[in-house]
Amino acid sequence: MIEASKLTTEFGSLVFNDKIMKERLPKDIYKAVHKTIEKGTHLELDVANCVAATMKEWAIENGATHFTHWFQPMTGLTAEKHDSFISPTEDGKIIMEFSGKELVKGEPDASSFPSGGLRATFEARGYTAWDPSSPAFIKDGSLYIPTAFCSYGGEALDKKTPLLRSMEALSNEAVKMMRLLGYEDVNRVNTTIGSEQEYFLIDKDFYKKRKDLLLTGRTLIGAPASKGQEMEDHYFGVIKPKVSAYMHDLDEELWKLGIPAKTKHNEVAPSQHELAPVFETANIAVDHNQLTMEVMKKVADKHNYACLLHEKPFEGVNGSGKHNNWSICTDTGINLLDPGKNPGENIPFLVFLMSVIAAVDEYAPILRLSVASAGNDHRLGGNEAPPAIISIFVGDELAEVLKAVEAGEAYKAVGKSQMTMGATVLPHFTKDNTDRNRTSPFAFTGNKFEFRMPGSSVSVANANIVLNTAVAEEVAKLYAKLSAYSGNELKEKVKEVLKETLLAHKRVLFNGNGYTDEWVEEAAKRGLPNLKALPDCMPYWISDESIDLFTRHGIFTKEEIYSRYEILLENYSKSIHIESLTMQEMIRKDLTEGLVAYEKDLSKEIVQKKSLLDGDCCALELGVLKSLDKSSAEMGKALSKLFEDTKKAEGMTEALETASYYESTVLADMDELRKYADEAEALIPEKYLSYPTYGEMLFSL
Ligand code: ADP
Ligand code: MG
């Protein structure tokens, strides 16, 4: 356990961070590395050799025997392959070695990672390349080196490469714009991300007894417990001591890895919790989120918990998401989404705000796709998470600012009002000009946007790749309209262009309750897309508009776009296929076993009782038996249908058609089957079931 007084020194103790580099690297080498990180310049081999030697020394001092390139293939997970530092010598001994070449480049066999047709299996070579802007760290006795992953032909096979490309694209466009607006000293613009991570904790012994959780991450059957989340007593509730011990351990592990874990609390659903870090530069934040998810699972194991990161592990209670807080900040320290004291006069703010509004409206289907997955589609639109319709909440103050933009009038900033709580002993403070809105998928929250649609289990890279690129595009469009002007003319032109952009995109602005049916109707009237599931979004991904966008900014080549199309569809279909098989097995074996055993006991009891008492007895037992029999008969029919339809799906070959079939038919079959299975399960006493019920899992900690 880290003592509180040692925290400042223990934070990042397993990270080869800037402080260590400054202390240990020769000055000129340190400078060269920094230049690479800041300007993206090429790293010379002698510099790499020196950094590698220093890294190795530091890693060995900290207990590492191995190193690994750490990358994020398109599985959405992370990948690693460890090599020890040892190198045999002639005298039968070893020395510890690590060269600059090993640091900057790796050659993992790429053939078993998804490539979506980018690489034939015989062209197995893949390369990993060091990302010096994300620091190396030590975990489980290995030095981890964050890397990008590409094919022999140079196509990105991972999530980091396009993310870095998108950050650069946005930076390039934003710098041009800032300079046009008179901020000559801006050389780079950084994307910043803070991703709040939701998760469930359940007893590990329960977890192990459920095939659905083990194989698919979510429960596929399960009658609801008598209590759900209706008492609203879990959100921000007192953290139970066992959970608190877990959270404490988790924080410490994350801090040692240099991950700035900041906030922890109970979430809305029983057994659901959240962790939020302090925001960081996008690629580091994404790396850190991947690590956070991994450490969450590892620490859970030590505490005899299973940490569930699936977006919808339990029906009937909230699922888990990953709010993506996003902003852009210049290297001179200006947060471009900070409205400041007088937002109406803050030209950079208005220009970037409008670019975000235009980007989200224009590219809504692709943004929707960036968060689509078999898991997350269960959560979106479930009246507990944002709907699948993308809209933007700007809040009262900005709504007024935008009204002024539209009317071509000056906006007068209203001072903050004083909060009055009616008791003089309470502190006096000023009130925010805008209340919160919890139902918006894309909400302005003071000095950043919070994209609330990403699912809890996936990398946030995709969402940010799309967001960065779309905003880069809109900034570029505004720049093109403004670049011919200067001085007062520019000022006037900015007003005109902002108004024009607002008029074109204001349909995406919505400050009301996004969970209502009225909004669904209203959104349809406004022409906003409502894409319910991944297969619905896919055609947009390969549309001309999308290919244009991503190729123009150098984020994806056409081939890279198509490879992701194949992978997403395949992954979607495979996930539902596994769910279908798992559900069939659980019902056929586990539920049926409990059901038959209970029916047998009930029937025996009824026969025996009837032989002793008169014919009218056993009303309750007979009632239960009849209900069970009815549900099981329906269950049998629904099970056959799911079996048949899944077989049909297995024979299908066209990717989009198959995925759509899984969505419209197989998932619907599963819902139908679940209805009867849950009806039956609700009648069966726990002791007859080989797996734990919702009540046990959600309320036992
Ligand atoms: P809220 O209560 O509105 O959710 P918080 O202050 O708790 O806001 O922040 C939530 C997350 O947003 C945190 O991870 C925080 O670090 C992050 N965040 C704050 N400012 C920024 C920013 N400029 N860019 C990106 N993320 C930010
Ligand atoms: Mg938040």
Side-chain angles (χ1 to χ4, degrees):
M1 186 155 150
I2 305 177
E3 274 176 49
S5 61
K6 300 221 171 85
L7 195 54
T8 45
T9 44
E10 286 292 322
F11 183 84
S13 59
L14 297 176
V15 184
F16 191 74
N17 54 23
D18 194 60
K19 182 168 166 278
I20 305 276
M21 283 201 276
K22 202 170 193 171
E23 276 167 16
R24 299 195 174 208
L25 291 175
K27 247 196 187 131
D28 54 329
I29 303 283
Y30 173 76
K31 267 195 188 151
V33 174
H34 247 259
K35 207 167 132 207
T36 302
I37 294 173
E38 276 155 21
K39 302 217 165 77
T41 49
H42 182 69
L43 200 68
E44 297 300 331
L45 190 61
D46 56 333
V47 177
N49 275 333
C50 178
V51 177
T54 313
M55 250 188 200
K56 177 199 70 182
E57 234 170 65
W58 169 83
I60 292 171
E61 278 170 32
N62 284 284
T65 51
H66 289 68
F67 71 93
T68 178
H69 277 201
W70 184 65
F71 54 104
Q72 296 165 26
M74 293 188 282
T75 53
L77 306 170
T78 57
E80 50 194 74
K81 175 182 149 235
H82 303 253
D83 279 302
S84 72
F85 290 122
I86 69 166
S87 173
T89 54
E90 276 177 9
D91 57 1
K93 298 205 160 141
I94 55 155
I95 51 167
M96 304 289 260
E97 272 187 342
F98 183 49
S99 68
K101 236 166 95 188
E102 286 171 309
L103 166 64
V104 298
K105 192 183 96 179
E107 289 188 34
D109 183 338
S111 60
S112 293
F113 291 106
S115 82
L118 273 183
R119 142 202 65 50
T121 321
F122 59 89
E123 288 166 348
R125 210 184 273 277
Y127 294 104
T128 50
W130 181 33
D131 168 14
S133 60
S134 182
F137 56 91
I138 293 174
K139 194 165 69 71
D140 306 325
S142 277
L143 170 69
Y144 280 69
I145 300 154
T147 55
F149 179 44
C150 67
S151 72
Y152 185 67
E155 294 100 350
L157 290 176
D158 69 346
K159 293 183 185 277
K160 186 191 270 280
T161 310
L163 177 67
L164 289 169
R165 291 174 185 164
S166 74
M167 291 164 66
E168 216 166 292
L170 179 53
S171 177
N172 291 343
E173 301 305 335
V175 167
K176 271 200 287 183
M177 177 61 86
M178 286 304 279
R179 291 191 176 166
L180 178 70
L181 297 177
Y183 295 79
E184 299 289 339
D185 52 344
V186 172
N187 286 311
R188 213 189 137 77
V189 170
N190 239 328
T191 318
T192 50
I193 298 176
S195 49
E196 306 164 37
Q197 176 73 46
E198 293 180 335
Y199 61 99
F200 280 84
L201 285 181
I202 64 162
D203 190 303
K204 188 162 77 183
D205 299 326
F206 287 154
Y207 173 78
K208 283 195 203 146
K209 288 191 181 137
R210 294 210 51 134
K211 291 177 185 136
D212 48 6
L213 285 180
L214 277 170
L215 299 181
T216 73
R218 73 172 176 121
T219 54
L220 299 166
I221 54 173
S226 308
K227 183 182 174 189
Q229 61 191 40
E230 62 278 63
M231 298 301 286
E232 301 178 333
D233 53 359
H234 197 254
Y235 189 61
F236 281 15
V238 177
I239 300 169
K240 292 184 181 153
K242 257 188 81 179
V243 174
S244 177
Y246 164 80
M247 288 177 165
H248 199 91
D249 232 13
L250 174 62
D251 275 342
E252 286 194 355
E253 291 297 318
L254 296 175
W255 288 335
K256 280 192 260 176
L257 288 167
I259 299 171
K262 176 89 174 162
T263 311
K264 51 187 178 186
H265 63 83
N266 287 350
E267 256 301 330
V268 171
S271 292
Q272 191 188 25
H273 313 281
E274 180 182 299
L275 178 145
V278 178
F279 68 94
E280 298 175 283
T281 301
N283 61 321
I284 300 177
V286 169
D287 284 358
H288 279 172
N289 180 253
Q290 294 287 121
L291 267 178
T292 300
M293 291 194 283
E294 193 190 315
V295 176
M296 276 181 164
K297 291 193 164 182
K298 199 172 86 180
V299 176
D301 202 54
K302 272 206 288 193
H303 288 251
N304 207 43
Y305 284 141
C307 173
L308 309 180
L309 293 173
H310 193 283
E311 287 77 12
K312 193 71 185 172
F314 302 102
E315 276 306 312
V317 296
N318 278 13
S320 299
K322 182 144 45 191
H323 293 176
N324 186 70
N325 294 273
W326 179 94
S327 192
I328 32 185
C329 188
T330 65
D331 56 351
T332 54
I334 308 172
N335 176 356
L336 295 170
L337 291 178
D338 188 344
K341 283 217 169 71
N342 193 352
E345 299 291 313
N346 188 342
I347 298 294
F349 168 72
L350 289 175
V351 164
F352 285 93
L353 173 72
M354 210 61 81
S355 303
V356 175
I357 292 173
V360 172
D361 183 36
E362 187 100 29
Y363 296 103
I366 304 175
L367 205 52
R368 165 68 184 91
L369 172 65
S370 76
V371 299
S373 69
N376 206 26
D377 289 354
H378 291 293
R379 174 181 157 260
L380 299 175
N383 281 6
E384 37 134 314
I389 308 162
I390 298 195
S391 65
I392 302 179
F393 168 85
V394 290
D396 298 339
E397 189 185 22
L398 283 194
E400 289 301 316
V401 174
L402 293 178
K403 251 195 219 161
V405 168
E406 199 178 328
E409 289 165 359
Y411 167 78
K412 277 245 164 334
V414 283
K416 288 195 174 185
S417 59
Q418 196 73 22
M419 190 78 192
T420 43
M421 295 173 78
T424 44
V425 59
L426 295 175
H428 292 231
F429 55 91
T430 54
K431 201 158 107 161
D432 291 305
N433 287 343
T434 296
D435 197 3
R436 283 165 180 272
N437 173 314
R438 301 208 26 109
T439 63
S440 174
F442 203 93
F444 184 74
T445 45
N447 58 3
K448 61 187 188 285
F449 273 102
E450 184 171 339
F451 185 29
R452 298 187 176 131
M453 289 172 101
S456 49
S457 72
V458 296
S459 161
V460 276
N462 284 358
N464 290 293
I465 293 167
V466 174
L467 196 52
N468 292 347
T469 312
V471 175
E473 168 69 12
E474 298 302 331
V475 175
K477 273 193 211 159
L478 290 184
Y479 180 83
K481 290 180 184 168
L482 299 172
S483 62
Y485 301 86
S486 63
N488 276 343
E489 258 185 6
L490 176 64
K491 269 194 189 153
E492 285 310 306
K493 191 69 188 169
V494 166
K495 277 190 199 156
E496 186 189 317
V497 168
L498 287 178
K499 180 175 171 179
E500 191 183 294
T501 314
L502 179 62
L503 288 176
H505 297 290
K506 68 179 201 178
R507 63 172 191 164
V508 77
L509 300 176
F510 176 61
N511 274 356
N513 183 353
Y515 290 1
T516 62
D517 293 338
E518 289 79 48
W519 169 235
V520 176
E521 272 173 40
E522 164 69 17
K525 273 194 217 142
R526 295 189 189 188
L528 299 178
N530 184 0
L531 302 168
K532 297 223 165 68
L534 181 137
D536 307 329
C537 315
M538 292 315 296
Y540 293 94
W541 178 245
I542 49 169
S543 65
D544 290 346
E545 199 193 6
S546 165
I547 292 174
D548 258 15
L549 172 74
F550 290 112
T551 51
R552 189 163 49 248
H553 292 279
I555 314 300
F556 292 118
T557 61
K558 193 169 174 187
E559 290 69 32
E560 287 172 341
I561 291 178
Y562 270 90
S563 81
R564 277 149 186 86
Y565 177 82
E566 293 293 327
I567 291 170
L568 279 168
L569 284 171
E570 207 181 293
N571 196 292
Y572 181 84
S573 297
K574 278 182 187 163
S575 301
I576 299 177
H577 184 243
I578 295 170
E579 286 185 350
S580 166
L581 297 188
T582 309
M583 182 178 199
Q584 292 180 46
E585 183 182 339
M586 259 185 100
I587 289 185
R588 216 172 273 127
K589 295 185 185 167
D590 306 350
L591 178 59
T592 302
E593 180 197 36
L595 180 126
V596 169
Y598 183 45
E599 280 184 335
K600 195 166 140 196
D601 280 359
L602 259 184
S603 316
K604 260 200 220 153
E605 169 69 12
I606 294 166
V607 173
Q608 233 169 38
K609 221 168 154 183
K610 283 214 172 192
S611 72
L612 296 172
L613 304 174
D614 64 68
D616 280 347
C617 78
C618 311
L620 174 69
E621 296 90 329
L622 269 171
V624 173
L625 188 61
K626 277 184 191 161
S627 301
L628 269 178
D629 189 56
K630 197 162 155 257
S631 302
S632 64
E634 296 293 344
M635 201 166 84
K637 275 190 249 165
L639 185 61
S640 303
K641 176 151 173 25
L642 176 62
F643 174 79
E644 292 301 332
D645 288 341
T646 306
K647 272 260 163 295
K648 234 183 260 170
E650 286 165 6
M652 296 173 80
T653 48
E654 205 282 317
L656 181 58
E657 193 194 335
T658 310
S660 298
Y661 181 81
Y662 270 106
E663 197 263 326
S664 61
T665 306
V666 177
L667 275 183
D669 287 352
M670 287 169 65
D671 279 347
E672 180 76 1
L673 174 56
R674 175 165 190 161
K675 203 167 77 194
Y676 301 117
D678 289 0
E679 256 175 39
E681 194 201 279
L683 296 171
I684 304 171
E686 273 85 357
K687 70 168 187 180
Y688 287 90
L689 295 171
S690 60
Y691 59 87
T693 60
Y694 267 38
E696 290 170 299
M697 285 186 287
L698 289 173
F699 292 98
S700 69
L701 292 187

